[in-house]
Amino acid sequence: MGAASSSLAGSEAYAGKLCGLEDVPENCITAMFMYMEPPEICILARVNRSFHRASRSDTVWEHKLPLNYKFLVRRILEDQQVGEKDKVISRTKEIYARLCQPNLFDAGTKEAWLDKKSGKMCLAISPKAMKITGFDDRRYWERISSDESRFGSIAYLRQVWWLEVVGNVRFEFAPGKYSIFFKIHLGKPLRKCGRKTCNLDQVHGWDIKPVRFQLSTSDGQDAMSERHLDEPGRWFYHHVGDFVVENQNSPVWVKFSMLQIDCTHTKGGLCLDYVIICPFEYRGKYTYFD
């Protein structure tokens, strides 16, 4: 009986020493957050004050930001008046949040954003930032307003003999492997009575010769692919190729193009929404888009 009482008293004493989440040191919480995804950190920030303070740590969010985040701040957020350099660096959580939003720059012709989970960057380029043969002549090309486009409008090809779309972007990418896609569509997208529809009357010439897609970089990488465009009525992403960035803090020129310059026949009825450069592991996200 005495032994049992002694054991019970010991258990009660031990129970009284148990720690709760409020007793976890803030530096331990910070260390834990380093291995978690940002959405998980934001959820756990509601647990208590210690978790909330740790979730605002510059150490945590600088670890989540891409290595080129200071370049992104200068190039993308500068017009949004983030603040002076010292102030910006001390507010890494806000920088992360702002970079996760779609950010237009270069007079609205480009858009960049971070993936909220991985912190990796994607870059979209509007047709307005590309050199397109005959783009300013309404006999050949038409700009169509679209609330579904990233840039508010798409480029629609009526008819040409010579198709040449060329883009060239200089950007400081974080080290890694990247893929380039053209988002295109055969047919003229329309909306009638609130429903999506498509006019295929001007679609012709794409089954005769393939369209050539190319990319090259300033450090000597290049890729090329060809495709007959034969899937009218739906948006799709054509994979141009991949390139690798090895050096940090080193801007690279990336040139990409879409060509069909066989002048033995005309072609028309093609829409171009934008070109996207994304991390290689995101390739599976960019296939078809209805």
Side-chain angles (χ1 to χ4, degrees):
M1 184 69 178
S5 298
S6 176
S7 175
L8 180 59
S11 297
E12 291 175 349
Y14 177 74
K17 296 179 181 179
L18 288 177
C19 295
L21 288 174
E22 65 275 6
D23 298 311
V24 180
E26 190 173 318
N27 60 343
C28 292
I29 301 171
T30 300
M32 178 182 69
F33 282 167
M34 301 286 278
Y35 297 93
M36 301 181 71
E37 293 180 344
E40 297 172 329
I41 296 173
C42 293
I43 292 173
L44 290 176
R46 306 170 188 170
V47 171
N48 58 38
R49 292 182 180 179
S50 295
F51 276 73
H52 180 71
R53 286 194 299 268
S55 73
R56 297 174 61 85
S57 167
D58 288 326
T59 303
V60 170
W61 292 101
E62 187 159 9
H63 182 72
K64 304 301 177 185
L65 284 163
L67 295 175
N68 65 333
Y69 85 90
K70 294 181 182 178
F71 165 82
L72 299 178
V73 169
R74 294 193 305 270
R75 180 73 185 276
I76 299 171
L77 300 185
E78 192 174 53
D79 294 339
Q80 300 178 20
Q81 297 180 349
V82 175
E84 298 300 326
K85 183 177 180 181
D86 293 341
K87 188 177 181 182
V88 170
I89 294 175
S90 67
R91 300 165 64 189
T92 50
K93 183 178 180 180
E94 182 181 355
I95 292 173
Y96 192 95
R98 293 197 183 194
L99 287 176
C100 284
Q101 300 171 5
N103 294 282
L104 291 170
F105 65 104
D106 282 0
T109 62
K110 300 181 181 69
E111 186 176 72
W113 66 97
L114 298 184
D115 178 78
K116 291 182 179 179
K117 286 188 175 182
S118 69
K120 295 187 176 182
M121 193 212 67
C122 297
L123 175 66
I125 301 100
S126 163
K128 295 177 182 178
M130 305 176 200
K131 183 179 179 181
I132 302 176
T133 302
F135 191 53
D136 295 325
D137 192 328
R138 290 184 59 84
R139 292 176 299 174
Y140 307 126
W141 287 90
E142 177 184 354
R143 295 183 179 90
I144 302 176
S145 297
S146 172
D147 56 3
E148 297 181 354
S149 172
R150 286 190 172 276
F151 299 97
S153 66
I154 57 179
Y156 176 69
L157 172 64
R158 296 172 182 269
Q159 176 175 293
V160 291
W161 292 86
W162 180 290
L163 173 68
E164 184 175 17
V165 179
V166 180
N168 208 351
V169 60
R170 182 179 184 269
F171 206 78
E172 186 178 305
F173 296 92
K177 189 173 184 179
Y178 295 87
S179 298
I180 299 183
F181 296 85
F182 273 82
K183 184 183 177 185
I184 51 183
H185 181 285
L186 283 183
K188 188 175 185 178
L190 301 172
R191 189 177 288 272
K192 293 183 178 180
C193 301
R195 298 181 60 184
K196 293 180 182 179
T197 184
C198 182
N199 186 330
L200 304 178
D201 292 346
Q202 293 181 310
V203 177
H204 69 283
W206 305 109
D207 56 341
I208 300 174
K209 293 288 181 67
V211 177
R212 176 174 295 180
F213 298 86
Q214 295 176 298
L215 82 84
S216 60
T217 66
S218 54
D219 59 357
Q221 302 178 69
D222 57 73
M224 188 271 288
S225 60
E226 292 186 338
R227 175 174 182 165
H228 283 92
L229 305 184
D230 55 4
E231 299 180 65
R234 67 188 310 187
W235 286 103
F236 61 92
Y237 293 89
H238 179 77
H239 178 227
V240 181
D242 309 313
F243 64 96
V244 176
V245 175
E246 296 180 347
N247 299 322
Q248 184 181 344
N249 303 324
S250 179
V252 60
W253 281 98
V254 180
K255 183 179 181 180
F256 48 86
S257 62
M258 175 172 64
L259 306 170
Q260 219 292 19
I261 55 177
D262 184 343
C263 293
T264 60
H265 65 283
T266 61
K267 38 266 179 188
L270 173 72
C271 286
L272 170 61
D273 192 354
Y274 57 83
V275 168
I276 186 167
I277 302 176
C278 66
F280 176 79
E281 55 267 36
Y282 292 178
R283 286 179 58 181
K285 294 183 179 181
Y286 298 103
T287 50
Y288 292 98
F289 181 84
D290 294 316

